[in-house]
Amino acid sequence: MSILIETLKGKKTKTPIWLMRQAGRHLPEYIKIRQKYKDLMEMFLDPEVITEISLQPVKRYGLDACIVFSDILMIPYASGCDVGFKEGMGPQVKFNEKFKFESHKLDPVTKGIENIKTISKIPLIGFVGGPWTTLSYCLFDKEERSQMNKDLIYKNEKRIDNYIDDLTDIISNYAMQQVNAGIDAFQIFESAAGDLDDYLFEKWVVNPTLKIVKEIKSKSDIPIIGFPRNASTSGYRNYSFINQLDCICLDYNFNLQQLDLLNPNISYQGNLHPKLLLNGGDEMDKELEEILLAFRDYPHIFNLGHGVLPETPIKNVERLVQKVRNN
Ligand code: CP3
């Protein structure tokens, strides 16, 4: 069994490493393909492109996992929303109130997963956005998201309640679509979790995730990683006790001195600051040593506390991987 899967199952092994957003704009080989396409969506819907780009960082760095080259906005796309990625604007979603998920629209992703599994033995991570994060991209524009406030959220509470329920079912279905295609582990990116107060975090993050995990685990034993980015300490604590969750991914704001507040019976992933990887040097070395030390006695997957930044130099990633390997 791979060290990634062993760690996800709670065993202490040599520290595996992969990086959120490892496939993408920091890689020249990605940019070369990207330049041939006007529309990012075309790339996400081409199984050959999915296969090639997913494997790029694995080939270059010898990482311990591959993550499917896809996006959390594939669910809105397959549910009748217009999804666009205009240069420098962040993603834009034209919301479709009906929000009816058609799984066949994501057959190219399934095909991409199958392709990767025929070519490579590397553990493959599938993913979705959590219900709240997915919805926040559907209902709010970039400016609203950047200054998400209580009024805006509570004004929409009833409407959001309904869609959270729909998304909880859709996400469980799409997860199983990926499981059946051959993924080895599954991550739920709840990147916008930090927008919510404790009450809404429980209602829109913890409770739906509990249902999603229960549903997936009733059909498969795939390991599940949850990433409630920027949740409060009590939020992280409650999330970590979600029944049958295998691993919690910690963002870079999580204070590792509070590790012992979390569920001791799961594994951990994270949490180097992406800016430290961007800048490299002694500061990166120092922090990565501290992370390895803090997790010395825990099953731990080395990762960032959020995605790789586009300007990150290749040599810093190489250095990071080497340091974790030599640990
Ligand atoms: O390597 C990997 O981790 C796999 C691929 C991946 C992408 N998106 C590809 C992508 C993953 C895991 C995601 C998840 C994702 N997408 C999240 C959750 C994680 C996070 O970062 O918080 C979110 C919030 C999104 C939504 C999204 N998609 C954003 C904010 C952007 C950037 C838009 C912009 O204009 O800067 C995207 C586009 C996107 N998704 C790119 C990639 C490689 C950039 C592609 C490009 O412009 O060439």
Side-chain angles (χ1 to χ4, degrees), residues 141-285:
D141 63 24
K142 190 177 182 180
E143 204 173 294
E144 291 168 323
R145 281 199 314 275
S146 72
Q147 44 187 321
M148 202 61 106
N149 61 59
K150 268 192 143 166
D151 288 354
L152 185 62
I153 295 177
Y154 277 100
K155 219 169 57 194
N156 289 283
E157 188 177 357
K158 275 277 146 326
R159 182 160 177 247
I160 296 175
D161 278 341
N162 287 330
Y163 285 117
I164 293 274
D165 283 347
D166 292 347
L167 271 158
T168 301
D169 294 340
I170 293 170
I171 287 168
S172 307
N173 284 336
Y174 182 43
M176 286 315 299
Q177 196 177 340
Q178 296 182 49
V179 170
N180 293 331
I183 57 163
D184 301 288
F186 188 68
Q187 179 157 326
I188 303 170
F189 284 90
E190 198 70 91
S191 307
D195 294 337
L196 303 175
D197 62 26
D198 284 353
Y199 164 75
L200 291 178
F201 181 79
E202 197 68 21
K203 183 159 80 156
W204 290 341
V205 176
V206 176
N207 292 342
T209 307
L210 188 66
K211 284 192 206 154
I212 292 165
V213 173
K214 187 174 178 200
E215 180 64 21
I216 298 172
K217 292 285 188 176
S218 75
K219 296 179 173 149
S220 114
D221 63 356
I222 188 125
I224 304 174
I225 308 164
F227 179 41
R229 186 170 80 96
N230 281 345
S232 66
T233 303
S234 66
Y236 260 108
R237 179 178 161 80
N238 293 345
Y239 193 99
S240 76
F241 281 97
I242 287 174
N243 198 22
Q244 291 185 294
L245 185 77
D246 297 278
C247 178
I248 191 160
C249 181
L250 307 171
D251 72 76
Y252 55 80
N253 289 320
F254 187 88
N255 180 351
L256 295 183
Q257 313 220 310
Q258 301 188 316
L259 258 184
D260 61 0
L261 295 175
L262 304 181
N263 183 351
N265 298 315
I266 61 174
S267 50
Y268 303 90
Q269 178 174 278
N271 71 337
L272 185 73
H273 201 306
K275 281 193 182 147
L276 290 176
L277 180 61
L278 175 76
N279 296 331
D282 292 346
E283 273 191 70
M284 174 178 92
D285 291 358

Side-chain angles (χ1 to χ4, degrees), residues 18-25 30-31 34 40 43-44 53-54 57 66-73 84-92 125 127-129 133 137 142 145 187 189-192 227 229 306-308 310:
W18 71 279
L19 304 173
M20 293 189 277
R21 300 290 198 105
Q22 63 191 24
R25 286 176 292 187
Y30 168 81
I31 292 166
R34 177 75 182 91
L40 190 56
M43 296 168 72
F44 291 138
I53 295 179
S54 303
C66 178
I67 178 159
V68 180
F69 175 69
S70 187
D71 200 85
I72 65 161
L73 298 177
F85 297 90
K86 277 208 198 89
E87 200 66 61
M89 300 265 298
Q92 303 99 49
I125 301 174
F127 70 92
V128 288
T133 300
Y137 278 90
K142 190 177 182 180
R145 281 199 314 275
Q187 179 157 326
F189 284 90
E190 198 70 91
S191 307
F227 179 41
R229 186 170 80 96
H306 196 197
V308 178

Side-chain angles (χ1 to χ4, degrees), residues 278-309:
L278 175 76
N279 296 331
D282 292 346
E283 273 191 70
M284 174 178 92
D285 291 358
K286 192 166 154 274
E287 178 63 17
L288 83 87
E289 295 296 341
E290 276 178 27
I291 292 172
L292 289 169
L293 188 65
F295 287 106
R296 189 184 42 196
D297 299 324
Y298 297 86
H300 171 231
I301 299 164
F302 201 98
N303 207 316
L304 300 177
H306 196 197
V308 178
L309 296 165

